[in-house]
Amino acid sequence: MEIKTIASRPFPDQRPGTSGLRKKVTVFQKPHYLENFVQATFNALGGVDKKQIAIGGDGRFFNQQALQTIIRMAAANGIKKIMVGLSGILSTPAASCVIRKYRLDGAFILSASHNPGGPRGDFGIKFNTANGGPAPEKVTEKIYKESLALKSYRTIDNPDINLDEIAVFTIGDLQLEVFDPVKDYADLMAEIFDFDLIGSLLRNPDFSFRFDAMHAVTGPYAEEIFVNRLGAAADSLLNCTPKPDFGGGHPDPNLKYAAELVALMFADKAPAFGAASDGDGDRNMILGDNFFVNPSDSVAVIAANAHLIKGYKNGLKGLARSMPTSCALDAVAKELKIECFETPTGWKFFGNLLDAGRLSICGEESFGTSSDHVREKDGLWAVLCWLNLLAVKKLSVNNIVNEHWRKFGRNFYSRHDYEEVDSKIANTIAADLRDRLATLAGRKFGALEVSRADDFSYRDPIDNSLSENQGLRLIFSDNSRIILRLSGTGTKGATLRLYFEKIEKDPAKMNLDPQTALAPLIKLAEELTDIRKLTGRLEPTVIT
Ligand code: VG1
Ligand code: CO
């Protein structure tokens, strides 16, 4: 096996964002672009000689080609073993599961998550470390530094490997195993949840359920778990064949992009339960009959009821949420008398707390929920949590959430996204507000009094690392919040996110529409930022 050293030059734009490196497919298709990033990652790890990794992706366009490139580079860099998901498929939570189960040194996950795919769509790559979680900031910064200093990468000449059959190959000293990407993950789910109980619910003719894989990675997982293991009717599953362009859709499980499921669930005689997941299977949306469960509520409900689920019956160690996620989870932590951490946006910030045994369940407002069973957010896990709770509590989704609100109060919550805004304008809007923060504290806007205005920074309690500039916060005297952040996952222009929260303890006011309940905060944020005028948008691109 002749190792070739290919001369290359750094690309200046390979700093990983909230979740890996995401760019247009056409950027990744540039000669040496992917190779540089992969070599920079290997270098940042101090070399990968004799290491063992998993690779796979969400099946999007360019997945197959990228996998073959990584396999050649892995062989040239001395990797001992690679596990590749059959047909190149591996969901993000399943990658985390196999790293941990087989004690691998890490994994490359090829995905741009919920971003659209196809030749004109997005591609992405992220590296997860030996704990199964996304590389922490100190590793991603090292990768970025290595990418800026890169002069060459190593590869070999080798024909493409057939990844469509379970098999073991040898390439020089590298052992390559094409493995079933579904089985280990499904086995883990069976350890956590009561499959007999969930199975009897799913087979009950009075119960109806729909799961929408959005033509993305969870299709094969959903078929194995819901149909083969739990006995659900095959027609409960929608769009379960992964497609390179996600069927032309946007594999983002929210009220706008999961339109097919949303239409079913908000119709007359809707199913009792509906759920969807995203491109790489780490996000989830939970719906009841004509009812949307806000992701911030979902994680709070799961945490409050976790003792009813086999895997958590011995209690929870702690809880955590990203800063913009509503404080509904904090109320649960208080009741359970356990810690609740507030971290910056992105799953990588939960890793240290999970590894240190300080944390059992965590979540983000962006449809991400999970626990210490892996080190990633996990879409199907969240769906199974809800099914398990429905089976135990014998209540509707709507009733479970309302019961929760009556006990803990309702945290009205909404996120407004302005997508593909001119980067300069978006940066100016954020910078202007940041500059005015100091003058806002103490000011009154109608009934709203600002008690605190800052740019969120986070000191990791385990390794003491500091992450600054994680989102602008206005916190009001009644604990309402307005938050402004720039997205770190987009590939075109900039995405501005405005987040709104208001806590309501009066049961008589709990059934308002969130947009109505939050209207004064929304109006104030729009006035303070002048976002509509400056972006030239009449309304946000997506409202959740
Ligand atoms: C978004 C979400 C964040 C999530 C991240 C990755 O990041 O807000 O909560 O962790 O996507 O999720 P940003 O920087 O665009 O706000 V995924 O499913 O895209 O890997
Ligand atoms: Co995702």
Side-chain angles (χ1 to χ4, degrees):
M1 186 179 79
E2 189 205 337
I3 294 169
K4 300 201 302 184
T5 302
I6 310 286
S8 184
R9 270 205 302 253
F11 292 92
D13 63 347
Q14 296 199 327
R15 175 181 252 149
T18 313
S19 178
L21 184 70
R22 289 190 195 169
K23 301 282 171 196
K24 291 275 161 223
V25 165
T26 47
V27 173
F28 272 101
Q29 284 171 326
K30 283 197 241 171
H32 313 310
Y33 193 87
L34 171 69
E35 289 87 340
N36 272 23
F37 186 77
V38 171
Q39 188 67 52
T41 305
F42 289 162
N43 296 351
L45 299 172
V48 286
D49 199 37
K50 307 272 187 308
K51 297 231 155 123
Q52 309 192 45
I53 63 167
I55 56 173
D58 62 13
R60 68 178 59 224
F61 184 82
F62 199 58
N63 191 36
Q64 299 298 334
Q65 216 176 315
L67 287 171
Q68 300 290 350
T69 300
I70 297 173
I71 291 168
R72 291 186 189 100
M73 290 185 63
N77 278 273
I79 285 192
K80 185 168 85 182
K81 183 173 175 187
I82 287 198
M83 294 178 67
V84 194
L86 181 68
S87 303
I89 289 290
L90 192 56
S91 79
T92 287
S96 189
C97 161
V98 299
I99 295 174
R100 296 168 67 76
K101 183 162 181 179
Y102 300 109
R103 298 176 189 281
L104 306 179
D105 297 293
F108 279 111
I109 304 170
L110 305 181
S111 171
S113 192
H114 55 286
N115 299 15
R120 286 169 202 283
D122 291 349
F123 190 74
I125 175 167
K126 64 175 172 167
F127 186 74
N128 281 30
T129 49
N131 72 342
E137 266 193 332
K138 59 175 189 284
V139 178
T140 54
E141 280 305 296
K142 211 161 166 204
I143 296 173
Y144 176 54
K145 278 211 184 96
E146 289 288 346
S147 81
L148 293 177
L150 202 98
K151 296 201 173 67
S152 65
Y153 60 85
R154 287 194 287 287
T155 188
I156 57 167
D157 278 328
N158 199 57
D160 282 0
I161 304 280
N162 175 13
L163 303 178
D164 291 327
E165 275 168 38
I166 306 275
V168 177
F169 299 87
T170 325
I171 311 164
D173 293 334
L174 172 74
Q175 194 196 68
L176 186 149
E177 186 184 330
V178 181
F179 76 106
D180 177 350
V182 172
K183 182 178 179 303
D184 295 312
Y185 176 81
D187 289 349
L188 178 61
M189 293 302 113
E191 279 171 31
I192 300 173
F193 299 102
D194 187 339
F195 269 26
D196 289 340
L197 189 70
I198 300 175
S200 50
L201 176 73
L202 292 180
R203 291 189 303 272
N204 181 341
D206 294 334
F207 182 80
S208 53
F209 128 98
R210 292 285 181 283
F211 175 78
D212 188 348
M214 303 190 81
H215 291 301
V217 78
T218 52
Y221 295 84
E223 275 161 8
E224 172 63 15
I225 293 172
F226 297 127
V227 179
N228 300 346
R229 298 203 187 190
L230 295 169
D235 62 6
S236 333
L237 305 186
L238 309 170
N239 305 318
C240 275
T241 306
K243 293 191 177 162
D245 67 347
F246 307 115
H250 207 128
D252 196 354
N254 61 26
L255 291 170
K256 177 166 178 176
Y257 296 122
E260 186 180 350
L261 179 72
V262 170
L264 274 173
M265 296 305 298
F266 284 85
D268 287 346
K269 299 203 185 102
F273 181 76
S277 59
D278 73 332
D280 61 331
D282 55 0
R283 295 186 180 207
N284 72 89
M285 178 169 67
I286 304 293
L287 301 170
D289 175 350
N290 284 272
F291 192 82
F292 167 68
V293 183
N294 187 287
S296 294
D297 282 338
S298 175
V299 65
V301 168
I302 290 172
N305 292 286
H307 59 282
L308 302 173
I309 297 172
K310 187 170 77 179
Y312 308 96
K313 67 175 190 307
N314 295 328
L316 304 177
K317 292 169 186 147
L319 303 174
R321 59 169 174 82
S322 64
M323 182 275 283
T325 304
S326 96
C327 301
L329 194 62
D330 305 44
V332 176
K334 200 168 165 205
E335 161 91 8
L336 297 177
K337 300 194 174 56
I338 53 178
E339 287 182 293
C340 188
F341 300 91
E342 183 177 44
T343 58
T345 293
W347 212 261
K348 58 188 168 205
F349 294 103
F350 295 130
N352 279 345
L353 294 164
L354 288 161
D355 287 349
R358 297 274 289 274
L359 172 56
S360 301
I361 288 180
C362 46
E364 295 192 278
E365 47 65 40
S366 54
F367 299 89
T369 331
S370 193
S371 84
D372 53 4
H373 67 291
V374 287
R375 294 291 180 273
E376 280 282 5
K377 53 188 192 245
D378 188 344
L380 288 171
W381 173 90
V383 176
L384 287 164
C385 278
W386 273 93
L387 286 170
N388 207 147
L389 293 183
L390 291 174
V392 175
K393 291 174 91 81
K394 300 190 170 54
L395 291 172
S396 68
V397 173
N398 186 330
N399 286 343
I400 289 178
V401 175
N402 271 281
E403 181 190 71
H404 186 93
W405 290 340
R406 279 196 300 276
K407 180 165 179 191
F408 294 97
R410 177 171 184 185
N411 292 52
F412 279 108
Y413 189 83
S414 182
R415 184 175 103 181
H416 290 193
D417 296 327
Y418 292 79
E419 294 178 350
E420 297 186 11
V421 174
D422 180 89
S423 295
K424 244 186 162 164
I425 293 173
N427 286 322
T428 310
I429 291 173
D432 277 357
L433 184 63
R434 184 177 298 114
D435 289 346
R436 278 180 291 142
L437 285 176
T439 65
L440 289 172
R443 275 189 62 185
K444 271 194 175 164
F445 298 93
L448 291 163
E449 182 177 352
V450 182
S451 56
R452 184 167 174 182
D454 65 5
D455 192 345
F456 180 64
S457 68
Y458 176 68
R459 173 77 68 185
D460 185 298
I462 310 300
D463 69 10
N464 229 18
S465 57
L466 181 69
S467 303
E468 295 181 286
N469 305 322
Q470 297 295 326
L472 308 179
R473 302 191 287 187
L474 298 183
I475 305 176
F476 298 88
S477 52
D478 66 349
N479 290 325
S480 293
R481 298 190 300 163
I482 295 174
I483 294 149
L484 175 74
R485 264 186 80 246
L486 281 161
S487 153
T489 56
T491 60
K492 194 171 169 207
T495 293
L496 278 163
R497 305 201 194 286
L498 276 170
Y499 310 77
F500 309 98
E501 176 177 17
K502 177 186 184 332
I503 302 170
E504 182 58 71
K505 299 273 186 196
D506 179 355
K509 295 183 185 157
M510 279 182 194
N511 284 319
L512 280 180
D513 175 70
Q515 302 308 314
T516 310
L518 296 165
L521 290 165
I522 295 169
K523 186 162 165 275
L524 177 59
E526 290 177 356
E527 279 166 15
L528 285 173
T529 56
D530 215 2
I531 195 166
R532 293 193 185 207
K533 185 160 156 237
L534 293 174
T535 59
R537 303 288 169 84
L538 296 175
E539 54 185 24
T541 322
V542 181
I543 293 181
T544 297

